[in-house]
Amino acid sequence: MTVPPEVREHGEQARTSARTDGLVPALTLLVRALSPKAPPRGPRGHAVLPKELLEEFAAEEAATREAPGAPGTEGVEDAGPLPGLAVLRPVPGETSEPAPPAWGWALAWLRLGMSERLRDACLAHLAARQSEGTSLLLQQMVKGTLADVLLEHLEIEGVLDDLSTGRAGPLGPLWPADDERHLAGLQEQITRVDRALLRLLGAHGFTTEGPGAAAHASELLADAYGTAGPGTAREDA
């Protein structure tokens, strides 16, 4: 498929926002640009979105139905994976509107920005720590892992750019039936890179102040909007 230029533009903006501002501002930007009227739902009916937008959608739905209350908050997880983020479950008996076309590609750009943000945090954290009088960044294993991560990020960016414009990828011409498979592969690659970075951070990556929660939320986005049916990461776990 060829992603419409405006979708690609919004995805690249979300990537920049994710790297500089974090997941919630970037996801807010993307939802408002691509799905301003309804929560973008994955193939199994789930949505992951900023709580602020959930409240806006609920208020708009209540006004449209001319009914009191906020029906749009039904099925909301009480505890989101990240402060300011909510998980919206499917409501039995209700048909929900799916995410807009090419949402997955824009989301992959956002997740790439989040992974780059994690890489930046990893560099800053390791630069401030020493072992036997030497910066951890100078350790051979650390340098090798960070070099591999940078190469992975460049590869993801290149593949996203090729797939978004419909150009041939590294394995030859792309067919429409391969779009979902290519996108799923990119999402898995981003998750794999994030986990490698978290291992470099050690316990810090999983503390309350650490970046582990944001990495988990990014992975949750990939699961919520990934392929429905057997074979998905969440269902195989």
Side-chain angles (χ1 to χ4, degrees), residues 9-86:
E9 180 181 355
H10 291 313
E12 291 176 335
Q13 289 173 349
R15 173 196 182 184
T16 300
S17 177
R19 185 171 185 178
T20 57
D21 305 320
L23 192 148
V24 174
L27 189 57
T28 299
L29 183 155
L30 201 60
V31 173
R32 282 187 168 147
L34 299 182
S35 186
K37 300 297 184 183
R41 299 269 190 169
R44 292 173 295 276
H46 295 82
V48 181
L49 69 164
K51 291 180 180 178
E52 178 184 356
L53 292 185
L54 179 63
E55 293 169 359
E56 292 179 10
F57 286 136
E60 183 174 338
E61 183 180 352
T64 300
R65 294 182 177 182
E66 296 182 351
T73 60
E74 293 180 10
V76 178
E77 293 282 0
D78 293 332
L82 195 68
L85 207 61

Side-chain angles (χ1 to χ4, degrees), residues 14 20 45 88 95 159 162 193 209 223:
T20 57
L88 188 60
T95 302
V159 173
D162 287 344
V193 171
E209 297 79 15
D223 284 348

